[in-house]
Amino acid sequence: MNASNTQIQMRKGLLEFCILHIIKRGEVYASDMIEELTEAKMIVVEGTLYPLLQRLKNASLVSYRWVESESGPPRKYYSITEEGKQFLETLNATWDSLVQSTQQITSKQK
């Protein structure tokens, strides 16, 4: 078994949760999300992020608007919807429960 594969799957499982948290802070451009996720060692490439953002949009959890840019093509800025905020609250409760359960199991000594 390869630990690297498991680590990648763990990150992928948390990616949607982290993206919603980033967007919840305010309107954000995709490259800014990639930068923050990379700094946090979530290691995301555009090919991973854009399909996920599209799924979140299709689920009405995020929306976007186009903003003209003076230095190039228009930019797409993402924001969280009310439905997205409620969804994120549910994910937060799940995260808190998972952290507690995981700590309970991993902190036990023989």
Side-chain angles (χ1 to χ4, degrees), residues 15 18-20 22-23 26-39 42 44 49-50 53 56 76-79:
L15 191 55
C18 292
I19 288 170
L20 287 171
I22 291 169
I23 296 172
E27 203 171 51
V28 64
Y29 183 54
S31 67
D32 295 330
M33 284 185 250
I34 290 171
E35 183 178 322
E36 183 170 348
L37 292 164
T38 301
E39 287 174 10
M42 291 298 287
V44 172
L49 182 62
Y50 287 109
L53 288 170
L56 293 172
K76 195 183 287 187
Y77 284 86
Y78 292 87
S79 57

Side-chain angles (χ1 to χ4, degrees), residues 41-77:
K41 303 209 182 335
M42 291 298 287
I43 307 171
V44 172
V45 295
E46 289 181 26
T48 302
L49 182 62
Y50 287 109
L52 179 51
L53 288 170
Q54 188 61 44
R55 285 195 303 276
L56 293 172
K57 183 197 172 299
N58 291 345
S60 300
L61 301 178
V62 302
S63 61
Y64 64 80
R65 69 183 181 98
W66 289 99
V67 176
E68 291 296 325
S69 172
E70 294 176 12
S71 62
R75 292 181 165 198
K76 195 183 287 187
Y77 284 86

